[in-house]
Amino acid sequence: MDEGTSQYYFTASMESGKILCSLLKAIQFQECAIFCAMTEGLKLTVEEGKCVQASAYVPADNFTEYHVREDVDVMFKISIAVLAECLNIFGSAEESSLKMYYRCEGSPLLLVLQPQSVHNVMTDCEISTQTPDSLLDLRDSDADEVAKLVLKAPAFLALLADLERSCDVFELNLSPEHPNVSIVTYGMQDQSCIDMPKSSDMVVSFSCERAVTLRYQLHHIRLVMKALALSSKVVLRFSSNGLLLLQLKLEKEDQRQMFSEFYIVPLLDD
């Protein structure tokens, strides 16, 4: 870093902020995110009501330099739209190196970006931060995993894009027996059903201990579509309490990994 790291709670640099910008857009369905810098890497989290929690993870090895003070909690609320706009300040086609600085609680997050195609040009952006809201704790250690489904992300994205927007309920029927997976969508006037046996080209793997039916708001399922567009596979994990966890890995040329995950709360039975 250009300055000593000891005076900052958090500092980081990476050769290109473009891939980070793409990952942020995958969870950009709310104005603000909770920014958390941990020794193992960055985590940004957004929530919709008490029904959806989405997080983007950037492991520390994605950065050329990374430092977090271990004696303080580095966590704050920030506008994810402003952060993404700053990361893209030189245009979507331009690769720009990125440095981030966060001095202390209440300080702005400082970004320094330098385009790789132009020498002696750089810009710095200060983004105001706020005290973070408390996040939902959706993990239940007492809930067992009843099914796991791994799908090809492009195919699942195409399936979601083709579903009728007039429908508002997304029902999954999972079973060890054929057809293994049935997706039913309901609306005021429309209903459709798609069978997906484990032999389907879309399915990478499937495991299910017993037949189970789970329902979610289709709108909540659709929130994962931007993340699907960046991934090759998506893992869907279903808990006995109905909670759905979708895990996606962002594909990168250098084989380093970034992740996103979505927790979606089921609809209550009538």
Side-chain angles (χ1 to χ4, degrees):
M1 283 297 171
D2 299 328
E3 302 180 55
T5 58
S6 60
Q7 62 179 308
Y8 293 96
Y9 280 10
F10 162 71
T11 59
S13 63
M14 62 194 324
E15 294 178 354
S16 174
K18 188 175 181 180
I19 197 77
L20 176 59
C21 185
S22 296
L23 186 65
L24 293 180
K25 289 182 178 178
I27 63 167
Q28 191 180 340
F29 55 83
Q30 291 291 348
E31 171 60 28
C32 292
I34 305 301
F35 185 112
C36 181
M38 306 167 288
T39 54
E40 59 267 30
L42 291 184
K43 177 182 178 183
L44 288 97
T45 302
V46 298
E47 293 182 339
E48 176 157 313
K50 297 184 181 296
C51 299
V52 181
Q53 183 183 90
S55 298
Y57 295 93
V58 188
D61 64 0
N62 285 274
F63 298 89
T64 53
E65 294 185 57
Y66 187 86
H67 175 78
V68 179
R69 284 264 302 269
E70 296 184 0
D71 58 331
V72 294
D73 291 329
V74 182
M75 182 182 294
F76 50 84
K77 184 164 71 171
I78 191 170
S79 169
I80 194 170
V82 172
L83 178 56
E85 185 176 349
C86 290
L87 290 171
N88 202 34
I89 198 165
F90 290 112
S92 58
E94 179 65 64
E95 295 280 359
S96 303
S97 64
L98 167 67
K99 295 181 179 181
M100 293 186 284
Y101 303 84
Y102 179 68
R103 186 178 297 276
C104 61
E105 185 176 352
S107 297
L109 178 66
L110 173 63
L111 308 183
V112 179
L113 297 109
Q114 184 171 9
Q116 296 179 5
S117 64
V118 183
H119 297 293
N120 301 319
V121 174
M122 66 174 56
T123 189
D124 59 84
C125 308
E126 286 191 354
I127 307 175
S128 61
T129 63
Q130 303 174 44
T131 302
D133 304 318
S134 59
L135 292 171
L136 295 171
D137 185 8
L138 295 175
R139 302 187 185 189
D140 185 353
S141 58
D142 295 328
D144 298 323
E145 183 174 287
V146 295
K148 177 182 175 183
L149 177 63
V150 182
L151 300 175
K152 295 178 180 178
F156 189 44
L157 174 61
L159 183 150
L160 292 179
D162 287 342
L163 294 178
E164 287 292 337
R165 293 190 176 274
S166 59
C167 295
D168 52 15
V169 176
F170 182 91
E171 179 182 282
L172 277 161
N173 298 293
L174 309 170
S175 173
E177 306 299 327
H178 187 84
N180 305 120
V181 180
S182 291
I183 298 174
V184 184
T185 56
Y186 300 92
M188 293 295 292
Q189 298 179 334
D190 299 303
Q191 178 177 335
S192 63
C193 179
I194 301 172
D195 288 337
M196 192 189 305
K198 61 183 180 181
S199 59
S200 167
D201 290 340
M202 187 188 307
V203 178
V204 178
S205 66
F206 174 73
S207 60
C208 181
E209 297 179 354
R210 57 181 173 82
V212 61
T213 296
L214 301 166
R215 295 181 181 88
Y216 307 90
Q217 280 199 21
L218 179 56
H219 164 67
H220 293 158
I221 300 294
R222 285 185 181 275
L223 292 177
V224 78
M225 291 177 70
K226 289 182 179 179
L228 286 170
L230 301 172
S231 308
S232 61
K233 291 189 299 186
V234 54
V235 180
L236 296 88
R237 299 179 181 273
F238 304 89
S239 297
S240 55
N241 59 5
L243 185 68
L244 169 60
L245 169 60
L246 299 100
Q247 298 172 311
L248 305 100
K249 182 176 71 175
L250 176 60
E251 299 299 319
K252 295 178 60 187
E253 294 179 358
D254 62 6
Q255 303 303 309
R256 292 178 181 174
Q257 298 178 349
M258 296 184 183
F259 306 90
S260 60
E261 67 177 21
F262 293 73
Y263 282 98
I264 301 179
V265 174
L267 290 172
L268 297 177
D269 294 331
D270 295 333

